[in-house]
Amino acid sequence: MILSDLIDFETLRVIWWGLLGVLLIGFALTDGFDMGVGALLPFVAKTDVERRVVINTVGPVWEGNQVWFILGGGAIFAAWPPLYAVSFSGFYLAMFVILAALIVRPVAFKYRSKREDPTWRERWDWALFAGGAVPATLFGVAVGNVLLGVPFHLTQDLMPMYDGSMLGKFVGLLRPFALLAGVVSLSMLLMHGAAWLSVKTEGAVKDRARAIGVTAGMVAAGGYALAGLWLAVGIDGYAFTAEAVTDGPSNPLLSEVMRGGSWLSAYAERPWIAVAPLMGFAGIALAVMGLKAGREVTTLLASKLGILGVISSVGLTMFPFILPSTVDPDSSLTVWDASSSHLTLFIMLVCAVIFMPLILMYTAWVYRVLWGKVTEDEVTGKSDTLY
């Protein structure tokens, strides 16, 4: 018996759908507060010393946090090749903008302290702001477009095709619902960044972060509720018109899909998935209350719970669809027809079982070593301070 036969193809597909969600959520929970802190930097820190305090709360950990982003991209490439091809070609300019912002961020970290000129440092502070705010917003816009559907179709040889220019495709992503999703994403990560600063800082910086975090959390909750209402009454969902073959070949054109109805019908079919939006609202509410009350670790944990619930609700609502097509619903990518082969998914799963615990243990060790507040005395009194 071949080892890969120990787990059937259908189960492997669901496992890798879940693992992709875990990697993306892991990125949001870790690098999410990095982006939130960067976006908050010009507003929570008024002096150079305060800004150095804020920067040093994330400076030692942001590179490790981006491992989750790399793993997520690698998982899409290896486990879901059609998804990688369709999304990276259709969202090419948006991805370029995100990557440019993420590249600017480490440059700003390294170059800000090279000169003591206030103008020089202020420019790099705004670069850090862009490196946090731009990806946080565009990731949400991307999620909004996934729920709306993307205008692509597959040729008979499974080549993805888009109409229009690259710029036109980018502008076409900026639809009202997608922009709302971007607002939810940005405000949620601002809240998360504020929760992190409440743990890592003190004094005026902490107070400003708490105040902004409360507002951001309320915006996130309101935007999330509005998005749910919009999905219920104004956006078509997708469904199979014939029974899906869950262990068949990875060819989306073999499926029969229709556009219509509501995405939220999934909650009638699988009522248990309502736990995800409940976690989203509960986590955000607890984080807002924690920020108001001045609680620290529990507020950060509540913020993580809210992010977990919000992102999970998207995947669970859409399952088994991954990337719907507005041009040709039959070209839509689903869990059942857009994966790599059975053997590839099995080998990758073995690797994940070996390496994921190592990554988690290393990450936990790093945070344990670096735990504690960053103070003004620390950043001004130590010559080995990084930033």
Side-chain angles (χ1 to χ4, degrees):
M1 181 180 67
I2 301 175
L3 286 177
S4 60
D5 292 337
L6 294 173
I7 306 178
D8 62 75
F9 201 9
E10 176 184 355
T11 302
L12 276 172
R13 282 170 160 165
V14 174
I15 289 173
W16 270 103
W17 170 81
L19 282 175
L20 178 59
V22 168
L23 294 173
L24 296 179
I25 291 170
F27 172 62
L29 295 182
T30 55
D31 206 41
F33 68 71
D34 294 343
M35 290 186 284
V37 167
L40 288 169
L41 176 62
F43 310 105
V44 298
K46 302 302 182 181
T47 67
D48 181 66
V49 173
E50 287 181 346
R51 292 187 178 187
R52 289 184 63 196
V53 167
V54 171
I55 292 170
N56 277 278
T57 65
V58 296
V61 298
W62 72 268
E63 288 177 291
N65 291 340
Q66 284 203 325
V67 167
W68 295 96
F69 182 57
I70 297 168
L71 289 174
I76 294 174
F77 174 78
W80 308 98
L83 175 62
Y84 184 90
V86 173
S87 60
F88 277 70
S89 58
F91 297 169
Y92 182 84
L93 189 53
M95 292 289 185
F96 180 85
V97 173
I98 289 173
L99 290 176
L102 292 176
I103 291 169
V104 164
R105 182 169 60 169
V107 176
F109 277 133
K110 301 300 182 183
Y111 276 82
R112 182 190 188 277
S113 61
K114 298 301 182 184
R115 293 172 59 184
E116 295 186 2
D117 177 43
T119 302
W120 168 272
R121 291 191 170 188
E122 184 177 6
R123 288 171 179 170
W124 287 117
D125 290 338
W126 283 105
L128 286 170
F129 165 79
V134 171
T137 303
L138 289 183
F139 281 131
V141 170
V143 171
N145 276 281
V146 169
L147 284 163
L148 290 168
V150 179
F152 74 94
H153 69 277
L154 300 176
T155 64
Q156 290 302 311
D157 55 0
L158 302 184
M159 180 180 291
M161 301 294 292
Y162 286 83
D163 296 327
S165 65
M166 185 183 301
L167 179 61
K169 286 185 285 187
F170 177 72
V171 174
L173 298 176
L174 304 179
R175 294 176 279 183
F177 179 81
L179 292 175
L180 173 62
V183 170
V184 172
S185 176
L186 175 61
S187 57
M188 186 169 62
L189 295 187
L190 287 175
M191 177 193 70
H192 198 38
W196 176 254
L197 289 176
S198 74
V199 173
K200 297 291 289 183
T201 64
E202 55 189 15
V205 171
K206 178 179 179 179
D207 293 340
R208 296 186 196 112
R210 288 172 52 203
I212 296 174
V214 168
T215 301
M218 291 189 291
V219 171
Y224 185 48
L226 178 59
L229 179 62
W230 201 333
L231 280 176
V233 300
I235 295 175
D236 289 336
Y238 288 74
F240 288 105
T241 58
E243 185 175 356
V245 179
T246 59
D247 59 354
S250 292
N251 183 346
L253 297 180
L254 298 179
S255 302
E256 298 179 15
V257 176
M258 60 168 277
R259 183 182 183 187
S262 170
W263 281 123
L264 300 189
S265 62
Y267 291 87
E269 300 167 3
R270 306 187 299 276
W272 64 269
I273 68 175
V275 69
L278 290 176
M279 283 195 303
F281 282 116
I284 293 173
L286 290 172
V288 168
M289 290 188 291
L291 287 167
K292 285 184 176 181
R295 292 188 289 270
E296 297 181 355
V297 176
T298 55
T299 299
L300 182 62
L301 293 176
S303 179
K304 290 180 181 292
L305 177 66
I307 292 173
L308 170 64
V310 170
I311 298 177
S312 297
S313 68
V314 176
L316 291 171
T317 298
M318 293 184 62
F319 183 86
F321 289 89
I322 303 176
L323 189 64
S325 168
T326 57
V327 175
D328 176 22
D330 287 344
S331 294
S332 299
L333 307 182
T334 76
V335 172
W336 312 128
D337 55 30
S339 72
S340 292
S341 67
H342 187 179
L343 180 59
T344 299
L345 294 183
F346 180 79
I347 293 172
M348 289 176 58
L349 180 61
V350 172
C351 294
V353 169
I354 295 172
F355 291 107
M356 282 292 290
L358 296 177
I359 293 172
L360 290 171
M361 287 189 292
Y362 173 75
T363 301
W365 176 79
V366 168
Y367 279 95
R368 182 175 181 273
V369 170
L370 297 173
W371 194 252
K373 291 186 180 293
V374 179
T375 66
E376 293 188 7
D377 290 340
E378 184 178 9
V379 299
T380 57
K382 287 188 176 181
S383 60
D384 60 346
T385 301
L386 291 176
Y387 307 104

